[in-house]
Each structure stands twice: as C-alpha cells, then as structure tokens.
Amino acid sequence: MNIRTDLITEIKSENASNISGVDVLEVKEKDVIISTVKITNNDAAKILGKPIGTYCTLFFPRLDFVCDTETVIKSTVNALRSIINANINHTLVVGLGNTDITPDALGPIVADRVLATRHLCDELKHNLGLDDLKSVSTITPNVLGKTGIESYDLISATSQKIKPDIIIAVDALACRDPERLCRTIQISNTGIVAGSGVNNARKPLNLDTLGIPVIAVGVPTVIDANSFFNSDENMMVTPKEIDLLVEKAADIISRAINIFLQPELDIDIIESLT
C-alpha cells in the first residue's frame, strides 16, 4: 500500500539506513530536534525519490500545547541560514495554496505576514532609518481553479520581471506519521511541487524550471487516510484543531523568514511595518 509523504525523514526511514550518497546530521536545540539530510548523488536521489540537495527538518512539540515558540523560530532561522549561505539582496517569497481550504492556507498566510520592501526607495528607507532594509517581494498566486492561471506561470512571469536572487516558496505538505502533523517544518534547497501536500501536484518550481534557486519551506498539515485504514478512496485527514495549528505554524515561519531576510532589524520593528 503506497502511503504518500513529502518528508525526507519518513522516506529515508523506510529505506535502507546506510544509503551511499546520503549524509545525515541530527542536533537538538532545547525541545527542537533538527535533522539535516544531504543527498549527494543520483543513485541516492533515485532510491529516495527526491532531488540532490539539502533537506533540513525540524521536529517540535504539538503547537496547540506550545505557548513559547521562540526556540522553534530561532531554530527555523538557523535552518534557513544553513540552507541559504549566499549573499541575498532581493528575495521573492511565494505563498502557495488555497485560502478557502484551511489545511492548504499556510503559504498565503505566511506570505501576507512577510515584510515587503521592494517598493521602498533608498531615500525613504534612509529617512525611516532603515538603510539596511533588504529588498523583499511577496506573491500569493492562489490555485488554478480560482484564477484560471497555473501558479508556475504567475511565479515565472513575476520572477522574470523583478529578477529576484532567490525564491522562498511556502506550502502545505503531507506526511505518513500522525506524530509529524503540524509539528514539523521541512526546508530544502531543491524547490517544490505546488499543491503536493493536498494531492494536487502541479509543475515543479526549482532552479531548472525558473532559472532561480528555490528554497522550499513546508509544514505537513494533512496525512494520507491509508495511514489509518486500507481504502481505495483518495482521502486526506487533518487535525480538528487545524485552524489553530496553521495559524501558529504561519506565525513561526513568517517571523523566521522576516528575521532571516532582515537580520539588522528587531522583530518588533518588522512586525510594526507588516
């Protein structure tokens, strides 16, 4: 029975533990476990069904039980820094998903909370005392059924026009283990397939298709129903508190992205501007 998952840690755990071309490092920061998986050759990529690249996965307690998320935010910032080690001047943040479907609304909510600064001229930034403000743009392409336009086409056209150095794409994911639901963040430098988390995969967003490095950030918000019972139906299961969990996950990821993109600014200043 094929139970789908987007998490590299689940895929690797179900394959041989010692795969040539796969390096794994695991560290712990308070309540957060950070697992970094590097796929370094084509054979390993074929076995795992994932592209060559680096995947950083954070595991933490249930978000509906966590009041202090600072450790998770800090760990997410550190993970972004380990994945993106180049000097970035202009970033395009893409919020993938559908705001009408709560488990799929993570990306748009995150993008809405990221501080957009590309429209600010240097003189205005200087007058505001924000000379170090990095250029950031955001876009929420929504879904084909609502716009009639593929997300890839909107993102491709936007990136060709504004020419960002990098794209950070945020989307909902799927997992196999209920213990991973809404308590995992996966960050990778291999791009993303929009809609993968809700079983509606579209054209990949990656360096090959867009000509720009694409960093994927995702949280599993759904699980394949076959994880619980044998069924031929195409069903996905989500927690009953999904609205609260998506809200908290979006808060963590948006804060982490803002801190990563604007390292010279205090988070309170960033949030006062969003």
Side-chain angles (χ1 to χ4, degrees):
M1 181 170 54
N2 183 27
I3 302 174
R4 42 188 306 276
T5 180
D6 296 310
L7 299 183
I8 187 67
T9 53
E10 290 187 330
I11 295 171
K12 185 181 180 303
S13 67
E14 293 167 7
N15 290 272
S17 57
N18 295 319
I19 302 175
S20 177
V22 178
D23 299 324
V24 181
L25 174 65
E26 189 171 291
V27 298
K28 187 172 183 180
E29 296 179 359
K30 294 185 178 180
D31 292 333
V32 182
I33 298 173
I34 305 170
S35 173
T36 302
V37 176
K38 293 184 179 180
I39 302 176
T40 60
N41 63 42
N42 289 323
D43 289 339
K46 185 176 180 180
I47 292 172
L48 297 177
K50 288 287 187 180
I52 293 174
T54 302
Y55 301 78
C56 192
T57 309
L58 290 73
F59 307 109
F60 40 83
R62 285 184 53 169
L63 288 176
D64 51 346
F65 293 166
V66 175
C67 295
D68 182 9
T69 58
E70 293 305 313
T71 300
V72 183
I73 294 171
K74 181 179 177 181
S75 297
T76 305
V77 173
N78 291 337
L80 286 167
R81 288 171 178 163
S82 69
I83 293 283
I84 310 170
N85 50 24
N87 185 26
I88 305 300
N89 293 313
H90 181 201
T91 302
L92 172 62
V93 177
V94 178
L96 299 167
N98 186 345
T99 53
D100 291 340
I101 302 175
T102 303
D104 197 30
L106 176 70
I109 296 174
V110 169
D112 186 57
R113 298 178 183 180
V114 170
L115 177 62
T117 61
R118 179 177 174 269
H119 59 295
L120 302 177
C121 65
D122 290 339
E123 182 179 357
L124 177 58
K125 288 191 287 186
H126 178 72
N127 290 338
L128 293 173
L130 302 173
D131 298 273
D132 296 324
L133 206 61
K134 297 291 184 69
S135 179
V136 178
S137 307
T138 70
I139 182 175
T140 52
N142 220 300
V143 291
L144 179 64
K146 294 180 70 173
T147 65
I149 307 172
E150 289 280 7
S151 297
Y152 170 83
D153 294 331
L154 288 169
I155 296 165
S156 177
T158 301
S159 61
Q160 289 177 30
K161 177 67 176 179
I162 68 175
K163 296 179 171 53
D165 299 317
I166 200 167
I167 294 173
I168 298 178
V170 184
D171 198 8
L173 304 178
C175 64
R176 290 178 181 155
D177 185 351
E179 294 298 315
R180 304 296 189 196
L181 273 175
C182 297
R183 59 180 82 177
T184 305
I185 299 174
Q186 179 173 272
I187 304 171
S188 73
N189 59 3
T190 60
I192 195 169
V193 179
S196 61
V198 289
N199 205 19
N200 187 27
R202 318 304 297 181
K203 188 172 182 178
L205 306 171
N206 54 39
L207 178 61
D208 291 336
T209 60
L210 293 172
I212 300 168
V214 178
I215 306 302
V217 181
V219 172
T221 60
V222 294
I223 188 169
D224 194 324
N226 277 326
S227 295
F228 303 104
F229 50 84
N230 188 1
S231 171
D232 293 330
E233 298 294 330
N234 183 20
M235 294 187 294
M236 308 299 289
V237 178
T238 194
K240 65 179 181 180
E241 309 92 347
I242 189 60
D243 50 350
L244 170 64
L245 296 172
V246 167
E247 169 68 24
K248 279 203 167 186
D251 182 67
I252 290 169
I253 294 174
S254 61
R255 286 189 176 201
I257 290 175
N258 279 325
I259 293 170
F260 169 75
L261 294 177
Q262 310 294 351
E264 303 301 324
L265 293 185
D266 185 271
I267 186 61
D268 291 333
I269 294 177
I270 295 174
E271 293 182 348
S272 71
L273 298 172
T274 54

